[in-house]
């Protein structure tokens, strides 16, 4: 056999084994999705609270006390969030049933005003949408939050118990102090960038949700709290989240009022809020934090949404940040990191604006 044929056979074998490995990993991601999703959320919570514990340590607070307070805060926050989301989902579902007939009548008036072609298109669209299935799915996802919160809290507790041994384990795994420091630096870089993204995104989402809540209260509509919470949660999904939140908000307004004019006014306000915050403040505050390609974010949303569903869309950006930073440290994977980055510089730290005198 000629050397060229031998090299071709070796490359084909390597590619074939790579495809098999990718298939096995994908099957594992799908089959163990609940545990893996809880594990990723636990890692994110551990990362966020580790920064808080470090801040307390600088204030001369004992490590055991800071860790205990962090675990108590996480437990209270998770259980409160889970019960609040379940209560809001139940309220939306019960209210939606009461307003279903009013919404149907409003849609019929709109379709009659716009002509028979529009009426037929609306009826076809409504017939193709499984609203009952969406409601059952939302109720099922909400009911899983309590069990997921308990599992996440368990993971976080064990991570805190292993926190002080993590650098030692990395050093013994690598067998080289310099290599261990490089690995730890990569881990801390991922934590810093993801933490800053989550904190800034939470602030932006809170402002957006507050404006939507004020709009609902100004017009005297129900479900102001539920719509605000839904807006806050969906705003963590890049690009698609604000669109979905706007559509749901308009549908809820139309179902409550049955008035096309009021629905159009509130829909315009909601669209303006999402547009201004999403296209002005969001890029300004997050652009240097993420340093991710927009096309890469869409691909990540599509992949993790297909693998892990709704939870995958929330985790797509943090996972992509971690993948980009890790790939930047491995020479043969660095082209992937360059493609995923916005400016082709994946390892650069976010630039903080300086005040000029």
């Amino acid at each position: 056999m000629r050397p060229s044929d031998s090299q071709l056979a070796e490359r084909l074998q390597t590619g074939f084994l790579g495809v098999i490995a990718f298939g096995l990993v994908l099957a594992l991601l799908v089959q163990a999705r609940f545990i893996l999703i809880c594990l990723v959320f636990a890692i994110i919570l551990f990362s966020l609270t580790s920064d808080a514990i470090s801040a307390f340590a600088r204030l001369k607070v004992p490590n055991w006390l800071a860790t205990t307070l962090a675990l108590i805060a996480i437990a209270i926050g998770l259980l409160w969030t889970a019960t609040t989301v379940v209560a809001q989902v139940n309220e939306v579902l019960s209210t939606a049933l009461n307003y279903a007939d009013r919404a149907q009548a409003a849609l019929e008036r709109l379709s009659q005003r716009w002509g028979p072609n529009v009426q037929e298109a609306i009826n076809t669209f409504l017939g193709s949408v499984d609203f009952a299935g969406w409601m059952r799915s939302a109720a099922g996802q909400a009911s899983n939050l309590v069990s997921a919160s308990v599992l996440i809290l368990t993971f976080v507790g064990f991570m805190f118990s292993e926190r002080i041994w993590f650098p030692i384990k990395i050093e013994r795994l690598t067998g080289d102090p310099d290599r261990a420091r490089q690995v730890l630096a990569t881990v801390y870089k991922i934590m810093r960038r993801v933490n800053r993204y989550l904190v800034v995104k939470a602030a932006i989402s809170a402002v957006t949700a507050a404006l939507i809540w004020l709009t609902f209260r100004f017009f005297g509509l129900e479900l102001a709290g539920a719509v605000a919470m839904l807006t806050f949660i969906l705003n963590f999904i890049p690009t698609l989240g604000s669109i979905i939140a706007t559509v749901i908000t308009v549908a809820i307004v139309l179902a409550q009022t049955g008035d096309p004019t009021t629905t159009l006014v509130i829909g315009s306000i909601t669209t303006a809020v999402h547009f201004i915050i999403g296209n002005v403040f969001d890029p300004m505050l997050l652009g240097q934090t993420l340093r991710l390609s927009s096309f890469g974010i869409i691909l990540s949303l599509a992949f993790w949404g297909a693998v892990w569903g709704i939870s995958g869309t929330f985790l797509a950006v943090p996972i992509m940040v971690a993948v980009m930073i890790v790939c930047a440290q491995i020479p043969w994977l660095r082209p992937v990191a360059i493609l995923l980055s916005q400016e082709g510089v994946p390892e650069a730290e976010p630039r903080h604006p300086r005040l000029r005198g």
Side-chain angles (χ1 to χ4, degrees):
M1 181 181 293
R2 291 179 300 178
S4 58
D5 295 337
S6 177
Q7 292 178 358
L8 178 60
E10 184 178 352
R11 291 178 181 177
L12 290 175
Q13 182 180 5
T14 303
F16 183 70
L17 292 176
V19 171
I20 294 177
F22 177 77
L24 292 176
V25 171
L26 188 61
L28 177 63
L29 290 174
V30 174
Q31 294 300 321
R33 58 188 300 176
F34 181 75
I35 295 177
L36 292 176
I37 289 171
C38 293
L39 179 60
V40 175
F41 275 112
I43 292 173
I44 290 175
L45 283 176
F46 172 76
S47 175
L48 290 169
T49 49
S50 293
D51 280 354
I53 291 175
S54 299
F56 280 121
R58 289 192 291 269
L59 298 176
K60 307 302 182 181
V61 177
N63 184 71
W64 66 268
L65 179 59
T67 302
T68 303
L69 293 176
L71 285 175
I72 294 174
I74 292 172
I76 295 174
L78 282 176
L79 295 177
W80 177 83
T81 301
T83 54
T84 302
V85 171
V86 170
Q88 294 293 345
V89 169
N90 291 332
E91 182 181 357
V92 171
L93 293 179
S94 60
T95 307
L97 296 176
N98 297 329
Y99 289 122
D101 295 336
R102 186 183 300 179
Q104 184 67 28
L107 287 174
E108 291 179 356
R109 290 197 301 271
L110 283 175
S111 59
Q112 290 174 0
R113 180 183 303 177
W114 290 338
N117 294 331
V118 177
Q119 182 177 2
E120 183 179 356
I122 292 177
N123 292 333
T124 303
F125 172 75
L126 293 177
S128 63
V129 177
D130 185 13
F131 289 104
W134 285 2
M135 291 182 180
R136 287 193 298 268
S137 177
Q141 293 286 341
S143 62
N144 290 332
L145 284 177
V146 178
S147 57
S149 300
V150 175
L151 185 57
I152 291 172
L153 182 61
T154 304
F155 283 147
V156 173
F158 280 105
M159 288 178 187
F160 275 120
S161 66
E162 297 285 334
R163 180 171 178 261
I164 59 175
W165 302 107
F166 182 71
I168 299 175
K169 289 182 178 181
I170 294 297
E171 183 174 349
R172 292 181 177 176
L173 281 173
T174 57
D176 182 7
D178 294 333
R179 180 61 179 168
R181 283 193 292 269
Q182 184 180 0
V183 172
L184 290 174
T186 301
V187 172
Y188 295 147
K189 184 182 295 185
I190 294 172
M191 292 173 61
R192 285 196 304 269
R193 197 172 294 187
V194 172
N195 288 353
R196 188 169 188 272
Y197 161 73
L198 292 175
V199 170
V200 174
K201 192 67 175 179
I204 294 173
S205 301
V207 172
T208 306
L211 293 175
I212 300 301
W213 182 84
L214 289 174
T215 302
F216 266 65
R217 298 297 296 176
F218 178 80
F219 285 92
L221 299 175
E222 299 180 20
L223 300 177
V227 174
M229 176 175 288
L230 186 65
T231 300
F232 176 83
I233 295 173
L234 290 175
N235 209 44
F236 280 87
I237 304 177
T239 308
L240 299 178
S242 59
I243 297 175
I244 298 173
T246 302
V247 172
I248 293 177
T249 301
V250 171
I252 290 176
V253 173
L254 181 63
Q256 287 192 48
T257 63
D259 182 14
T261 303
T262 303
T263 303
L264 182 61
V265 171
I266 298 179
S268 301
I269 295 174
T270 303
T271 303
V273 168
H274 283 287
F275 180 83
I276 294 173
I277 293 180
N279 291 277
V280 177
F281 296 100
D282 209 335
M284 181 176 62
L285 296 175
L286 290 176
Q288 295 300 326
T289 299
L290 292 179
R291 309 186 73 90
L292 296 176
S293 166
S294 300
F295 182 68
I297 292 176
I298 296 299
L299 288 180
S300 182
L301 283 174
F303 176 78
W304 290 108
V307 174
W308 284 350
I310 298 176
S311 300
T313 59
F314 290 102
L315 298 172
V317 171
I319 292 176
M320 186 177 173
V321 171
V323 169
M324 182 184 68
I325 295 176
V326 171
C327 289
Q329 307 303 317
I330 303 174
W332 62 278
L333 287 177
R334 182 172 173 79
V336 177
I338 293 175
L339 291 175
L340 292 178
S341 64
Q342 185 178 19
E343 302 170 357
V345 190
E347 67 277 0
E349 286 295 306
R351 295 191 298 268
H352 300 279
R354 298 179 180 178
L355 296 177
R356 297 181 179 180

